[in-house]
């Protein structure tokens, strides 16, 4: 359940410059008007500037301009995730900090968040552009009691969490491109990087890094990615509260992770496939030895791609080059 406070912020943000009446807020949130007034006072204490006019209602004049450990914690209704928060205005990569913290014993559920990354990391040494104050650059430290072989399932789980939040909280229609990108209108809005420290059959820790483009305009996106990247601002034509998104993502992540530990992977697999980009369609696959067309059927328990060759044979693929956007 998202917190009342986050819903309130989102309602105010949605109405943008316009006033929204106390009655409407009270109806939407199902709390009294005096409770609304109290929430407004708390928001002001937290750095929001709110204007209230007796015959018109409320509107946000300005947001607290900075994320902080306090503003993220405020209203975060979770049991274990985000109980320990490290926030940096600028850092090389939240993954670097997360590894240091995890090696020093940081608890399961510790999160690291930065306004800006100067050396954001993608997979295989690629870089991740992390414009200051315009996106969510987050790392989560996990200490799951699962086999290292199951670790890829956590990347898939993370993708479903992000897709769920984008779908139900931001009202957009995300698709997950195997294994770990989230697309809106065929453009990448989320990247996920999972890194693990493990010994034979024990995971010491996992760091899940999530980059979500939130308030970048087209001009904010570096030219080399502008034709294949997007942001929530570009897609919805309005700004979104990064703090409220972080809280929503952490809450949804915790719920989904707890269910996964209890019930295993099948529910995640089903959800992933419901968002899967090009599932049921023909794709061209290039491996080291081969180049062929096949139908993309879905994913396997271990995160592999399940495909059907044109001769009807079914195969699992762990690494392959796929031209997802062929015309
Ligand atoms: C990823 O790698 O997509 C994983 C990105 C993970 C970023 C998070 S942010 C918090 C944490 N701290 C970090 O340092 N990293 C994690 P990959 O699948 O390899 O995709 C990288 C490619 O995505 C790049 O080569 C670009 O083409 C593209 N790209 C880079 N920045 C982007 C952005 N902001 N939006 C969309 N695409 C981007």
């Amino acid at each position: 359940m998202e917190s009342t406070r986050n819903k309130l912020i989102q309602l105010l943000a949605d109405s943008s410059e316009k006033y929204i009446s106390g009655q409407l807020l009270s109806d939407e949130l199902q709390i009294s008007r005096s409770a609304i007034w109290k929430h407004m006072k708390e928001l002001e204490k937290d750095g929001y500037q709110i204007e209230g006019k007796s015959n018109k209602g409320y509107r946000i004049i300005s947001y607290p301009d900075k994320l902080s450990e306090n503003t993220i914690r405020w209203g975060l209704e979770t049991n274990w995730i985000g109980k320990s928060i490290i926030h940096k205005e600028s850092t090389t990569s939240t993954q670097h900090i997360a590894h240091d913290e995890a090696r020093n014993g940081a608890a399961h559920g510790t999160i690291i968040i930065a306004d800006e990354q100067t050396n954001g990391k993608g997979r295989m040494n690629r870089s991740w552009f992390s414009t200051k104050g315009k996106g969510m650059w987050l790392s989560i430290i996990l200490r799951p009691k699962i086999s290292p072989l199951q670790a890829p399932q956590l990347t898939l789980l993370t993708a479903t969490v992000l897709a769920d939040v984008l779908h139900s909280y931001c009202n957009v229609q995300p698709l997950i491109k195997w294994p770990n990108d989230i697309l809106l209108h065929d453009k990448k809005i989320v990247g996920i990087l999972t890194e693990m420290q493990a010994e034979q059959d024990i995971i010491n820790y996992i760091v899940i890094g999530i980059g979500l483009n939130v308030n970048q305009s087209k001009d904010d996106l570096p030219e080399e990615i502008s034709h294949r990247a997007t942001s929530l601002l570009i897609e919805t034509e309005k700004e979104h509260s990064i703090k409220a998104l972080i809280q929503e993502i952490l809450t949804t992540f915790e719920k989904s992770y707890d269910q996964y530990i209890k019930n295993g992977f099948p529910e995640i697999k089903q959800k992933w496939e419901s968002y899967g980009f090009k599932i049921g369609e023909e794709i061209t696959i290039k491996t080291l030895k081969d180049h062929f067309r096949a139908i993309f059927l879905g994913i396997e328990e271990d995160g592999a791609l399940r495909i059907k060759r044109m001769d009807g044979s079914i195969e699992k693929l762990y690494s392959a080059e796929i031209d997802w956007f062929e015309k």
Side-chain angles (χ1 to χ4, degrees):
M1 261 288 289
E2 73 198 61
S3 73
T4 306
R5 187 169 187 264
N6 281 352
K7 278 196 207 152
L8 176 60
I9 295 169
Q10 199 60 45
L11 284 169
L12 288 164
D14 284 350
S15 78
S16 177
E17 300 285 289
K18 289 188 232 99
Y19 290 92
I20 178 161
S21 76
Q23 190 57 52
L24 192 68
L25 289 171
S26 136
D27 290 345
E28 288 280 337
L29 299 170
Q30 300 192 336
I31 56 175
S32 69
R33 293 189 60 170
S34 71
I36 299 274
W37 187 83
K38 278 188 201 141
H39 273 291
M40 294 296 179
K41 290 289 139 207
E42 290 299 324
L43 285 176
E44 281 175 353
K45 271 194 221 154
D46 222 4
Y48 288 80
Q49 234 188 312
I50 293 172
E51 190 177 48
K53 288 218 167 139
S54 51
N55 55 345
K56 287 183 168 170
Y58 299 97
R59 66 175 180 152
I60 292 185
I61 299 175
S62 70
Y63 291 82
D65 51 348
K66 284 180 188 155
L67 288 176
S68 72
E69 283 148 36
N70 279 337
T71 57
I72 296 168
R73 188 170 293 117
W74 216 106
L76 179 64
E77 290 167 1
T78 54
N79 295 317
W80 54 265
I81 202 167
K83 291 291 153 192
S84 170
I85 300 172
I86 297 169
H87 168 258
K88 301 279 176 198
E89 282 178 19
S90 182
T91 185
T92 49
S93 158
T94 54
Q95 295 292 101
H96 293 158
I97 301 179
H99 282 287
D100 286 347
E101 292 293 324
R103 271 193 296 270
N104 290 327
H108 176 68
T110 299
I111 65 158
I112 296 92
I113 185 97
D115 296 343
E116 171 188 50
Q117 298 184 116
T118 52
N119 191 15
K121 289 164 68 180
R123 293 174 305 148
M124 292 173 275
N125 269 335
R126 290 191 282 255
S127 49
W128 183 260
F129 297 104
S130 320
T131 324
K132 185 161 196 142
K134 302 275 180 171
M136 186 198 75
W137 324 127
L138 168 74
S139 295
I140 305 172
I141 298 173
L142 299 172
R143 298 188 184 277
K145 292 186 183 67
I146 57 174
S147 141
L149 295 173
Q150 288 170 292
Q153 295 180 345
L154 289 175
T155 309
L156 301 166
L157 178 151
T158 306
T160 64
V161 166
L162 268 293
D164 270 352
V165 171
L166 288 173
H167 178 65
S168 37
Y169 189 67
C170 308
N171 250 323
V172 290
Q173 305 300 325
L175 291 174
I176 307 174
K177 179 166 83 62
W178 183 80
N180 67 343
D181 290 352
I182 298 199
L183 308 176
L184 289 181
H185 295 121
D186 288 0
K187 292 184 173 175
K188 181 160 167 174
I189 187 160
V190 175
I192 300 165
L193 169 67
T194 306
E195 296 176 309
M196 173 167 67
Q197 217 349 290
E199 286 154 41
Q200 264 192 342
D201 8 302
I202 295 178
I203 294 177
N204 290 332
Y205 67 84
I206 289 184
V207 177
I208 298 193
I210 307 165
L212 164 64
N213 298 329
V214 183
N215 289 328
Q216 292 103 325
S217 65
K218 283 198 170 126
D219 291 341
D220 291 323
L221 293 172
E223 201 170 325
E224 55 190 287
I225 58 162
S226 60
H227 59 291
R228 54 198 153 90
T230 192
S231 74
L232 274 174
L233 174 70
I234 297 168
E235 296 293 322
T236 64
E237 295 178 346
K238 64 181 186 201
E239 296 228 342
H240 292 256
S241 157
I242 296 175
K243 195 199 61 150
L245 279 164
I246 295 170
Q247 293 185 335
E248 199 58 32
I249 288 165
L250 294 178
T251 314
T252 311
F253 189 98
E254 180 177 284
K255 224 182 285 164
S256 182
Y257 180 94
D258 287 347
Q259 266 165 14
Y260 162 73
I261 294 297
K262 199 161 134 230
N263 303 334
F265 189 60
E267 289 165 24
I268 305 295
K269 172 176 148 62
Q270 197 183 20
K271 183 164 269 185
W272 194 101
E273 289 178 343
S274 74
Y275 286 116
F277 180 63
K278 295 245 166 136
I279 287 212
E281 292 181 36
E282 222 178 284
I283 51 176
T284 303
I285 298 169
K286 256 196 266 173
T287 61
L288 281 178
K289 322 174 259 191
D290 218 353
H291 182 208
F292 57 95
R293 301 223 8 114
I295 310 275
F296 177 22
L297 295 179
I299 50 166
E300 297 282 347
E301 288 269 317
D302 54 4
L305 194 71
R306 190 168 73 256
I307 53 142
K308 185 161 88 179
R309 293 226 189 206
M310 292 316 173
D311 64 6
S313 58
I314 294 186
E315 270 178 39
K316 280 166 83 166
L317 287 181
Y318 288 92
S319 67
E321 209 180 295
I322 295 154
D323 179 7
W324 292 102
F325 301 107
E326 61 192 304
K327 292 278 178 303

